[in-house]
Amino acid sequence: MNYSEFFQKLTGGTQHPYPYQLRLASEPWPDILEIPTGLGKTLAVVGAWLYRRLQEDGTTPSRLVYCLPMRVLVEQVHGVLEEWLENIAPVFLEQGKKLPTIHMLMGGMVDESWSTTPEHPAVLVGTQDMLLSRALMRGYGMKRAHWPVHFALLHNDAFWVLDEVQLMGTGLATSLQLEAFRRSFPMGMSSRSLWVSATIDRQRLDTIDFRPHLPQLVSQALNQEDRNHERVVSLIHARKRLLRASTVWTGVEKEYVNALSEEVIKTHQAATNTLVILNQVERAQSLYENVKKRAGNIPVLLIHGRFRPAERKQVEEKLRKKPPETGSIWIATQAVEAGVDMTSATLFTELAPWSSLVQRFGRCNRYAENQQGNVFWLDMQGKDELALPYEMADLQRARELLTTLDDVGPAALPPLPPANQQGEMILRRQDLLDLFNTDPDLTGFDVDISPYIRDVEQPGVMVFWRSFDEQPDDQQPAPQRLELCPVSLGQLGRYLKKKERQAWSWNFLAGEWQKVSSSLRPGMVILLAAKEGGYDSQLGFAPDILTPVTVIEPQERKPEDGFGSDPRSYMSEFIPLVDHLDRTVAAMAGLLKAFSLTPLDQQSLMLASRWHDGGKGHPVMQNTFTHCLEEGDPRKNQLWGKSSCGGKHQRPHFRHEVASMLLWLAHGGKKVAEVADLVAYMILAHHGKVRMSLRALPGEQEPFPPAGAFARGVWQGDQLPEIFLGDSTTIPPTTLSLAIMALGEGQDGPSWTARCQRLLQNHGPFRLAWLETLVRVADWRGSSQETTLFHGEQP
């Protein structure tokens, strides 16, 4: 099947590929794709990737990571991709190939269906906030323990497509630096990046570590054959008349909203869409309410990024409909700048940086459906604060350009002026290595990565509402995607100032919901009381609303994950330790068949799988497993890998994987010194809760009488019984030593910190995380088999 035939099946027989789309599927992958708005860049990239996966060309990673600058785009792009995959599924089935799955990476949603199957092709669609935070080992809105897995899978066997890069701000520099690091550090599997835009400022690609790669970059753009294509000609030369609006933003919101409402309704044309794009959500909400009162029978929609998914979906469904006889008026924010499949006959836009204005112009007469579109730009006069979230200097440069133009169609637009890169935070090599350690500090805080992700507007938080009296209990179900509403830090701050409202965040170390008493941080997931208001189904998040919020009841009742919790160790049946180890080893053997690994790596992974849960033989763990049994029950004398008892450990913060790692170093590691530390690391990290450091945590129970070092519930001198690990491996009774907690060289050799730094130096962060993840996946699969065996379902 040639690509033209494949493309038509992909689009349901409705489209033929442009020449550039054919080249993208047949020629070597470029690094830059520079194609005007409206010519199907998303379809071009996804179609080429799918075709190459079908052909198994050997140069195309199995995970397509589609990174978008705006939240509102993610679900729309996801919906289009679902349709394409459904169209092409029979082709993959006929050729006996695995159809890629598609997943959204949204705040608060940890979709393990892709992270547990690293050998299967997948399409991941997400915002730069969600994707870059995961690529920096600080995934926003997800469980801390899963950070290393997403980090590994987003850097190995991953094809990053960074769309609308001119809107990414400092996130673009971070993506370039990460690509430079992937080209210099050892990798588990190869990856690549593709930067996509209608207009790319080449100076923005010149970051300090990516600079050596600039001369070799391959770029693809329209050639003369493309430009002679009838449809391309009509789109590029679509006319968009530029006019200065009468209304001016001076900082007096009531007057501005009244005047703009009147002007919008006056210029609105029947049977067409009028789109108004403002720079701030609160201003858009005020305009929406005002226009709605004046518009009569003309439908009015509000579009921004501060809605819960349920309400946002309703708005997006209305956007896809043909305008009624009266036409429609859409009030929006910059959330619609990039990629949103919408067009209007009339566009109003507030003054914004030139790159943003170019994107907004693309929402008018997008498909050349009108002989001419009309674009009105709204000037502003007053203090610099009126420009927020932008800089007034950037708006002044845009104003100067606007005053020289009377048409803003693609063919009439001047080249992008050089961007102002002053003040951008640049991710350096040591920064990335420091981020590899996922332990929080003793207060539970982490390094703030937000300066590496956005510079125009700081990444926000996710909020959700529940009904409770004064304090949420620890068994409150974990938040789910449909409940979560993205909110800026400023908006949440204004919400908390009213009526002495409270907010709660999950404390991972303490295992409880705690009031947010200190500063808010990007990426947090915040619980709010429904009775305190703050949300409206028509307006979205609005701090001034006092009406109780309608709670979206969670479909799953699983509580949040705490440091001391281990939900996969508890089920309705008792599972012998050796049985779980055997299943994990078998799962690892299956994984090794899917990947090309060195014999030494294979040996290390199999050893880590065999030994990973040896520490469950620790008396604290076995007591937790059997405390619900009556005295004399013979099951109290067996070693279990899982049980139905549940409950909390006798020692706060106890982690069995610390005991497993010490057991390995005391016995197994001495026989294979070459990989002893690597295996020890993979054993320790197999739950993602203890990795690079061994130290006691606040609230830990100290040995009495004092017995020396202690960390994560394991004490110096703890006694483990004889443990059978399977495969003829029996470990004699063992006295655990925590000597490796001490700095420098001790009786058991180098400290754990020194060993981890040496591993990081030898393997690099991407490869080390990849090996760590394979052990975790094998462990998950072993647990899944046990859940299926006894319950007939996946965990």
Side-chain angles (χ1 to χ4, degrees):
M1 178 183 293
N2 62 38
Y3 186 63
S4 291
E5 295 169 334
F6 179 89
F7 190 92
Q8 289 185 51
K9 288 183 180 294
L10 183 67
T11 59
T14 61
Q15 298 183 46
H16 294 274
Y18 294 118
Y20 91 88
Q21 292 172 326
L22 287 169
R23 294 196 303 277
L24 193 63
S26 58
E27 298 177 0
W29 281 114
D31 303 290
I32 299 168
L33 182 63
E34 195 166 3
I35 303 294
T37 298
L39 292 181
K41 296 189 294 293
T42 302
L43 176 57
V45 173
V46 174
W49 178 81
L50 285 168
Y51 188 67
R52 290 168 184 264
R53 289 301 307 170
L54 191 68
Q55 302 297 317
E56 296 182 346
D57 68 344
T59 66
T60 303
S62 67
R63 270 178 297 285
L64 177 64
V65 183
Y66 208 96
C67 181
L68 296 156
M70 303 290 182
R71 292 184 186 94
V72 74
L73 306 179
V74 173
E75 288 182 320
Q76 177 179 305
V77 172
H78 179 270
V80 173
L81 293 180
E82 276 190 322
E83 184 179 327
W84 293 340
L85 286 171
E86 184 178 345
N87 290 340
I88 208 65
V91 176
F92 276 79
L93 183 63
E94 287 168 10
Q95 298 197 21
K97 303 294 174 60
K98 183 78 175 178
L99 181 71
T101 54
I102 181 168
H103 312 269
M104 285 189 292
L105 272 74
M106 304 285 282
M109 181 179 71
V110 180
D111 184 353
E112 290 189 0
S113 62
W114 69 272
S115 61
T116 58
T117 54
E119 73 273 38
H120 294 165
V123 183
L124 313 178
V125 185
T127 62
Q128 69 185 68
D129 294 27
M130 294 300 124
L131 289 168
L132 288 181
S133 66
R134 285 159 169 76
L136 294 173
M137 193 72 93
R138 291 297 183 278
Y140 287 164
M142 64 178 289
K143 295 176 181 178
R144 173 187 299 272
H146 288 264
W147 288 351
V149 175
H150 283 210
F151 176 88
L153 299 183
L154 290 175
H155 286 297
N156 293 279
D157 200 18
F159 182 20
W160 278 77
V161 177
L162 301 119
D163 202 356
E164 309 292 1
V165 297
Q166 75 283 356
L167 299 178
M168 288 183 67
T170 192
L172 173 58
T174 299
S175 73
L176 292 159
Q177 288 291 100
L178 288 172
E179 177 61 25
F181 299 148
R182 286 192 290 267
R183 296 183 183 192
S184 63
F185 280 118
M187 298 292 292
M189 296 187 72
S190 62
S191 294
R192 63 177 306 121
S193 298
L194 174 64
W195 291 273
V196 181
S197 178
T199 48
I200 293 181
D201 177 5
R202 300 306 173 94
Q203 293 183 29
R204 298 287 315 279
L205 306 181
D206 186 14
T207 64
I208 186 166
D209 290 291
F210 195 69
R211 187 171 299 148
H213 304 288
L214 290 176
Q216 291 79 42
L217 290 188
V218 176
S219 180
Q220 182 170 320
L222 298 183
N223 62 16
Q224 197 56 50
E225 182 184 9
D226 293 299
R227 295 183 181 280
N228 292 336
H229 193 283
E230 181 181 356
R231 181 60 179 155
V232 175
V233 170
S234 67
L235 290 172
I236 290 179
H237 294 279
R239 179 165 168 75
K240 305 176 186 186
R241 185 175 59 151
L242 181 66
L243 302 159
R244 188 196 294 254
S246 302
T247 307
V248 177
W249 170 233
T250 61
V252 184
E253 185 170 297
K254 186 174 181 181
E255 292 180 6
Y256 177 71
V257 166
N258 283 332
L260 183 54
S261 296
E262 187 175 334
E263 188 171 1
V264 166
I265 292 173
K266 183 178 179 180
T267 56
H268 174 70
Q269 303 173 44
T272 71
N273 298 317
T274 295
L275 173 61
V276 186
I277 304 178
L278 305 184
N279 295 342
Q280 291 199 333
V281 172
E282 291 85 351
R283 213 152 55 236
Q285 290 171 329
S286 297
L287 181 65
Y288 166 77
E289 291 186 299
N290 199 298
V291 170
K292 198 171 183 182
K293 291 176 183 176
R294 300 166 179 254
N297 62 346
I298 302 173
V300 183
L301 288 179
L302 177 63
I303 313 153
H304 58 72
R306 311 300 185 203
F307 282 103
R308 294 185 298 196
E311 287 83 11
R312 188 166 63 245
K313 184 178 181 180
Q314 294 174 7
V315 172
E316 291 173 352
E317 288 174 351
K318 293 176 181 177
L319 285 177
R320 288 192 285 268
K321 293 181 180 179
K322 183 179 178 181
E325 292 182 5
T326 59
S328 300
I329 297 176
W330 301 334
I331 313 297
T333 64
Q334 53 268 54
V336 301
E337 282 179 6
V340 176
D341 189 12
M342 64 192 316
T343 186
S344 60
T346 306
L347 170 69
F348 284 81
T349 173
E350 288 187 327
L351 195 61
W354 184 250
S355 60
S356 293
L357 288 176
V358 170
Q359 293 301 122
R360 297 179 187 191
F361 300 155
R363 309 305 139 206
C364 179
N365 204 20
R366 179 176 175 84
Y367 304 110
E369 69 275 14
N370 299 303
Q371 186 174 357
Q372 173 181 278
N374 293 311
V375 176
F376 296 85
W377 64 279
L378 296 151
D379 205 352
M380 57 181 63
Q381 298 174 359
K383 298 178 180 179
D384 288 357
E385 288 79 9
L386 298 182
L388 292 175
Y390 306 115
E391 297 290 333
M392 187 62 84
D394 292 334
L395 303 196
Q396 175 58 29
R397 285 191 287 270
R399 181 188 289 114
E400 292 169 359
L401 278 171
L402 288 170
T403 56
T404 67
L405 300 172
D406 60 8
D407 183 7
V408 288
L413 289 174
L416 275 177
N420 178 17
Q421 292 176 262
Q422 257 187 330
E424 274 191 350
M425 285 282 288
I426 301 298
L427 180 78
R428 299 306 307 273
R429 184 185 182 97
Q430 190 58 49
D431 297 324
L432 181 68
L433 293 175
D434 290 343
L435 288 168
F436 193 79
N437 187 348
T438 55
D439 276 356
D441 64 26
L442 295 179
T443 65
F445 287 105
D446 289 291
V447 175
D448 181 12
I449 60 166
S450 62
Y452 300 128
I453 294 178
R454 287 192 186 273
D455 51 359
V456 172
E457 182 181 6
Q458 193 177 38
V461 299
M462 307 295 289
V463 302
F464 68 106
W465 289 264
R466 293 279 174 79
S467 296
F468 52 87
D469 293 327
E470 299 301 322
Q471 171 75 32
D473 64 70
D474 301 343
Q475 295 304 306
Q476 192 77 228
Q480 293 167 34
R481 189 179 66 84
L482 293 179
E483 301 178 83
L484 291 165
C485 177
V487 176
S488 71
L489 293 176
Q491 286 176 315
L492 184 56
R494 287 191 290 278
Y495 167 91
L496 292 173
K497 288 179 180 178
K498 296 182 180 295
K499 288 183 58 184
E500 298 182 351
R501 290 161 161 166
Q502 300 289 339
W504 289 263
S505 65
W506 180 253
N507 186 305
F508 175 73
L509 293 179
E512 63 183 13
W513 291 97
Q514 294 183 346
K515 287 183 180 179
V516 180
S517 55
S518 56
S519 59
L520 295 163
R521 306 184 310 282
M524 294 178 76
V525 177
I526 301 294
L527 170 59
L528 302 176
K531 62 185 178 183
E532 299 292 351
Y535 188 86
D536 179 83
S537 62
Q538 299 295 314
L539 296 175
F541 186 85
D544 293 335
I545 291 177
L546 302 178
T547 307
V549 179
T550 301
V551 174
I552 296 177
E553 291 296 331
Q555 296 178 349
E556 294 186 11
R557 309 302 297 179
K558 295 179 181 178
E560 276 284 13
D561 184 32
F563 180 84
S565 65
D566 190 4
R568 290 179 183 269
S569 289
Y570 305 107
M571 54 190 303
S572 63
E573 302 289 336
F574 281 74
I575 306 292
L577 175 58
V578 67
D579 288 359
H580 174 67
L581 294 175
D582 284 343
R583 292 188 181 101
T584 302
V585 168
M588 177 59 75
L591 275 173
L592 295 181
K593 294 177 182 178
F595 301 112
S596 178
L597 294 161
T598 66
L600 200 60
D601 282 343
Q602 293 187 43
Q603 179 191 22
S604 302
L605 290 163
M606 292 295 282
L607 284 169
S609 300
R610 174 61 66 190
W611 286 73
H612 78 283
D613 268 353
K616 284 187 174 179
H618 193 289
V620 169
M621 193 76 191
Q622 289 301 309
N623 180 72
T624 306
F625 279 159
T626 61
H627 72 89
C628 64
L629 302 177
E630 296 181 359
E631 289 299 326
D633 191 315
R635 287 177 293 180
K636 279 186 171 287
N637 299 321
Q638 293 179 255
L639 287 182
W640 301 105
K642 298 180 186 295
S643 93
S644 59
C645 285
K648 294 185 177 181
H649 299 304
Q650 292 173 319
R651 297 181 189 172
H653 304 310
F654 175 81
R655 294 306 314 175
H656 68 271
E657 54 265 43
V658 174
S660 298
M661 180 268 289
L662 297 175
L663 189 70
W664 159 259
L665 289 178
H667 298 283
K670 295 177 179 178
K671 300 177 182 178
V672 282
E674 187 177 6
V675 295
D677 288 345
L678 176 59
V679 174
Y681 173 78
M682 291 189 290
I683 290 171
L684 184 64
H686 82 266
H687 281 294
K689 296 185 178 182
V690 194
R691 299 174 65 249
M692 300 287 288
S693 62
L694 273 181
R695 56 179 167 85
L697 298 177
E700 277 208 45
Q701 179 182 341
E702 298 186 31
F704 185 81
F710 63 97
R712 318 298 169 110
V714 176
W715 298 350
Q716 175 74 22
D718 276 347
Q719 300 290 319
L720 268 61
E722 180 180 278
I723 300 173
F724 178 55
L725 300 179
D727 192 30
S728 303
T729 304
T730 300
I731 310 303
T734 305
T735 300
L736 296 182
S737 170
L738 283 166
I740 59 172
M741 284 181 65
L743 296 178
E745 192 88 12
Q747 66 184 49
D748 293 335
S751 69
W752 182 246
T753 299
R755 295 174 193 233
C756 286
Q757 291 304 318
R758 188 169 58 204
L759 286 171
L760 197 53
Q761 181 180 2
N762 293 340
H763 294 276
F766 307 129
R767 188 173 187 276
L768 189 55
W770 173 248
L771 295 173
E772 167 186 352
T773 293
L774 291 180
V775 174
R776 295 188 67 178
V777 170
D779 184 30
W780 291 344
R781 291 187 180 179
S783 297
S784 295
Q785 292 171 15
E786 289 153 357
T787 304
T788 303
L789 180 64
F790 293 105
H791 302 284
E793 60 184 29
Q794 296 295 320

